[in-house]
Amino acid sequence: MSYKSVKEVIDLLLQNGYVKKSQKGSHVKYVKGDRTVIVPNHTSKGIEKGTYNSFLKQAGLK
């Protein structure tokens, strides 16, 4: 069972000033300054809690 949806993670990044830079397959790259966060867009699977926390840490939001 997933913790957060991919859409929730992407919305959080966009609200905090990240912009979509590129996409290769199902992996989308978001950047802000010198920070880069790569989100796997496997929409049907969602994001697990540990992965979600890792995104927050990479993005400097936690």
Side-chain angles (χ1 to χ4, degrees), residues 1-61:
M1 177 176 248
S2 65
Y3 178 71
K4 295 281 185 180
S5 71
V6 174
K7 183 178 181 338
E8 288 176 296
V9 173
I10 292 171
D11 287 344
L12 178 67
L13 291 172
L14 294 175
Q15 289 170 3
N16 285 282
Y18 280 81
V19 293
K20 181 177 176 180
K21 182 174 182 181
S22 63
Q23 180 172 351
K24 186 170 184 178
S26 61
H27 291 79
V28 186
K29 187 184 293 185
Y30 290 89
V31 296
K32 178 182 175 184
D34 62 343
R35 293 185 180 265
T36 302
V37 180
I38 299 174
V39 180
N41 192 1
H42 307 166
T43 53
S44 64
K45 295 182 181 179
I47 304 293
E48 295 298 326
K49 187 174 184 177
T51 307
Y52 176 74
N53 288 331
S54 176
F55 290 145
L56 293 180
K57 186 175 180 182
Q58 289 174 33
L61 300 175

